[in-house]
Amino acid sequence: MTNHRIGIAFCYHESHTFSPVKTDIRAFEQECLVEGDDILSTFRGTRTEVGGFIDVLEQNGAAVVPLVCAAAIPSGTVTASAYETIEERMLAAIGRAQPLDGILLALHGAMVVEGLADPEGRLLSRIRAIVGADLPIATTLDLHANVTRQMVEQTPMQFGFKTYPHVDMYEQGVRAASLLLHSLAAKQVYHASFIKLPMMPPSINMLTQEGPMHDLVELARAAEEREGIVNVSVFGGFPYSDIPDVGASILVIAADKPAGDRVARFLADKMWDQRERFLLSLPGIQEAVDEALRWEGDRPIVLADVSDNPLSGGTGDTTGLLSELLSRRVRNALFGALYDPETLDACRRAGVGAELTLRLGGKHSPEFGAPVEVPAKVIRLSDGRFRNQGPMNTGLLVDTNGAAHIRVEGIDLLITGRALSANDPELFRHIGIEPTEKRILALKVKNHFRAAFEPLVGRIINVDAPGLASNKLRNFLYRHIPRPIWPIDDWKGDLPWRKGGHTA
Ligand SMILES: [Zn+2]
């Protein structure tokens, strides 16, 4: 048992710098912006990083000191004023909470703020400035974090997710909290071995059940069995952040620094050598719909509109796939969720049972497809609040800011007041739509939804439609990433870690 006072906090955003939708303070307020005891009521008992922090601290008799939790759904660059507000509240809460014995901080690692390319690095260094160089700080990071040297310099104790779909958030929260308490009890010092690779793979083939990321995570877990190695994280990075620190990296936490360096170089070599495996060629819209129409399985087929996945920064309202489904007169299909507050308002004004003409989608990124005008019937309305039942963020309350179930010919559509990925079937079930009764599920998703949907469906096709989260990275006009970087450029010459001296 311990009587240590440990601060817990959460600052989470994945910033798609090409998105036209800036992330302001309202976006955090809509998703999560809580302080003090509200953090405990929001996260206690959830399978999240903060849920993991709370469980470990309470089981060990530590005093949980809730600070600030701020998260917004992935979208465009965070506004300077939103970030300043959150940072000020975080630093003020830490100041008031002193003396603390340690801090647990759940980060994403791919946040970008207007005029600030490495906000997590700055946040950690400003926390350091308050608590001093010796206070243990442990973090959790998303597998898609663009980890920076500035971040790693603030603390070696950083734990990346090892799953995609991310179903080990809780486990990594537990590991971070456990190591933090252990470092206090044993007065153990840890070291970071960090390598940034000159590559930014698209995330489409970063799944951890199979493929290159699966193999790398297996090697990471095996390396954790070695003497002196505590934890090994493999970060795929987030390629839609146009920043100098974009891309993949390896971070090893070690009690034995030379052993950590060796593991980091080994994993960096393996990741680099397998880079071509991260690339996939996907069918276009017509080809994918052809395939879906030929589907004869007992369970539904999914057309995953991966280029408009809101959790990759997609606007959630592109219409390319929807237009094709309508023009092909597809029957018994479900499309969603389409982010369209105007349509939602129109449905609410018209009421359940009303028939009306709607202009669907195409409002936030019309360059990827114009709104689609259709006759529709309002089937049901809801407040859009439900709890996740699937394996990801289980138990967490989700609020879509209202929802409408509408029917357009043979297609049922879910319209929401916020952009969000269809990662949990409860998104549809809460309003009375049963996805397993449909033949075709056209979903605004990428990979994460597999955790809950794979057991329900017969086949999944990733569709190459136009959208902000397209896996064709060469189509984006990068200005700030380091060059050369794979797969935009070929890489020639020595790799930094093979020259030695490049691990932190
Ligand atoms: Zn992620």
Side-chain angles (χ1 to χ4, degrees):
M1 296 298 271
T2 154
N3 52 7
H4 289 123
R5 285 169 47 77
I6 310 296
I8 61 168
F10 181 38
C11 183
Y12 201 84
H13 192 253
E14 184 179 72
S15 308
H16 191 311
T17 60
F18 299 98
S19 168
V21 185
K22 291 270 189 264
T23 307
D24 57 14
I25 198 70
R26 276 188 318 157
F28 286 91
E29 286 163 356
Q30 283 184 348
E31 178 75 10
C32 176
L33 185 55
V34 288
E35 269 190 62
D37 288 344
D38 287 346
I39 292 172
L40 301 178
S41 55
T42 304
F43 291 102
R44 186 183 271 135
T46 62
R47 303 290 292 177
T48 60
E49 309 93 303
V50 179
F53 295 165
I54 294 169
D55 280 357
V56 170
L57 295 178
E58 291 186 340
Q59 284 157 16
N60 286 277
V64 182
V65 184
L67 301 165
V68 172
C69 287
I73 176 154
S75 44
T77 305
V78 176
T79 64
S81 75
Y83 176 76
E84 299 288 349
T85 301
I86 293 162
E87 188 192 82
E88 272 172 31
R89 285 171 69 169
M90 184 81 78
L91 299 180
I94 291 170
R96 283 195 303 274
Q98 295 282 35
L100 290 168
D101 297 300
I103 292 177
L104 290 165
L105 182 54
L107 296 170
H108 184 287
M111 183 189 280
V112 183
V113 176
E114 291 168 330
L116 180 61
D118 181 16
E120 288 94 345
R122 182 169 109 175
L123 180 65
L124 283 166
S125 59
R126 293 203 164 171
I127 292 173
R128 271 273 167 251
I130 295 173
V131 301
D134 298 329
L135 187 99
I137 299 174
T139 79
T140 56
L141 291 165
D142 195 277
L143 179 138
H144 301 107
N146 292 318
V147 185
T148 71
R149 194 158 295 279
Q150 188 187 13
M151 289 166 64
V152 175
E153 281 168 1
Q154 308 309 318
T155 175
M157 292 192 284
Q158 313 213 35
F159 293 77
F161 300 158
K162 285 188 167 69
T163 58
Y164 178 37
H166 305 327
V167 291
D168 65 333
M169 299 168 163
Y170 177 83
E171 180 193 338
Q172 299 309 331
V174 165
R175 292 183 70 150
S178 302
L179 191 70
L180 185 96
L181 291 183
H182 181 76
S183 77
L184 284 166
K187 306 237 183 303
Q188 173 73 50
V189 174
Y190 298 102
H191 309 278
S193 298
F194 176 60
I195 294 177
K196 194 88 195 174
L197 289 89
M199 60 186 277
M200 49 170 211
S203 58
I204 189 70
N205 203 28
M206 229 178 253
L207 287 167
T208 50
Q209 299 108 310
E210 58 185 22
M213 206 54 157
H214 165 269
D215 298 354
L216 291 163
V217 168
E218 288 299 302
L219 291 171
R221 288 192 197 276
E224 288 170 355
E225 303 300 318
R226 294 191 202 173
E227 185 76 27
I229 306 297
V230 175
N231 191 76
V232 182
S233 300
V234 181
F235 296 101
F238 184 65
Y240 308 112
S241 296
D242 184 14
I243 53 167
D245 283 300
V246 75
S249 60
I250 307 291
L251 177 60
V252 180
I253 309 172
D256 175 346
K257 169 71 171 153
D261 289 350
R262 282 194 296 277
V263 168
R265 284 197 291 267
F266 170 75
L267 262 297
D269 274 339
K270 290 289 181 195
M271 193 170 200
W272 179 254
D273 292 345
Q274 300 190 45
R275 63 194 180 283
E276 295 294 332
R277 294 178 67 202
F278 284 100
L279 301 181
L280 285 185
S281 163
L282 306 181
I285 293 174
Q286 288 185 5
E287 193 186 331
V289 173
D290 283 343
E291 279 288 307
L293 289 171
R294 282 197 291 268
W295 174 246
E296 288 179 348
D298 302 338
R299 291 188 281 177
I301 184 168
V302 174
L303 296 176
D305 196 355
V306 295
S307 299
D308 193 33
N309 172 37
L311 271 185
S312 303
T315 49
D317 83 328
T318 65
T319 54
L321 182 56
L322 176 62
S323 300
E324 183 69 15
L325 293 170
L326 288 167
S327 73
R328 304 284 287 273
R329 299 196 164 270
V330 168
R331 317 297 301 177
N332 199 19
L334 170 62
F335 187 95
L338 187 77
Y339 165 54
D340 194 337
E342 286 173 37
T343 293
L344 182 59
D345 275 352
C347 293
R348 282 175 169 155
R349 283 196 303 271
V352 170
E355 297 187 14
L356 69 171
T357 299
L358 293 169
R359 290 176 72 248
L360 299 175
K363 288 152 190 149
H364 297 274
S365 51
E367 66 272 32
F368 301 121
V372 184
E373 193 166 298
V374 288
K377 181 172 185 184
V378 182
I379 307 298
R380 202 159 165 191
L381 298 165
S382 88
D383 64 1
R385 288 163 67 83
F386 61 89
R387 282 191 191 275
N388 284 326
Q389 306 287 324
M392 192 176 160
N393 275 326
T394 313
L396 202 66
L397 184 68
V398 178
D399 185 347
T400 71
N401 204 17
H405 170 195
I406 65 170
R407 189 163 294 144
V408 180
E409 299 181 1
I411 304 178
D412 287 271
L413 288 101
L414 182 75
I415 310 294
T416 55
R418 283 178 64 208
L420 75 174
S421 305
N423 288 336
D424 197 300
E426 200 62 22
L427 172 67
F428 300 111
R429 287 176 176 155
H430 92 277
I431 199 167
I433 304 171
E434 179 47 55
T436 57
E437 291 173 358
K438 301 292 174 190
R439 193 161 64 92
I440 298 174
L441 305 178
L443 306 177
K444 301 276 188 194
V445 289
K446 177 163 56 182
N447 289 341
H448 281 310
F449 78 105
R450 290 170 181 265
F453 277 88
E454 262 179 354
L456 309 180
V457 304
R459 189 176 167 202
I460 294 168
I461 300 177
N462 292 317
V463 186
D464 179 21
L468 275 170
S470 164
N471 71 331
K472 290 178 176 160
L473 299 182
R474 283 172 204 258
N475 292 351
F476 294 90
L477 291 172
Y478 289 99
R479 294 194 301 137
H480 304 293
I481 58 172
R483 306 296 289 265
I485 191 164
W486 181 91
I488 306 274
D489 307 302
D490 292 329
W491 176 273
K492 293 188 179 68
D494 288 343
L495 291 158
W497 65 93
R498 290 185 184 163
K499 287 189 265 182
H502 276 264
T503 53

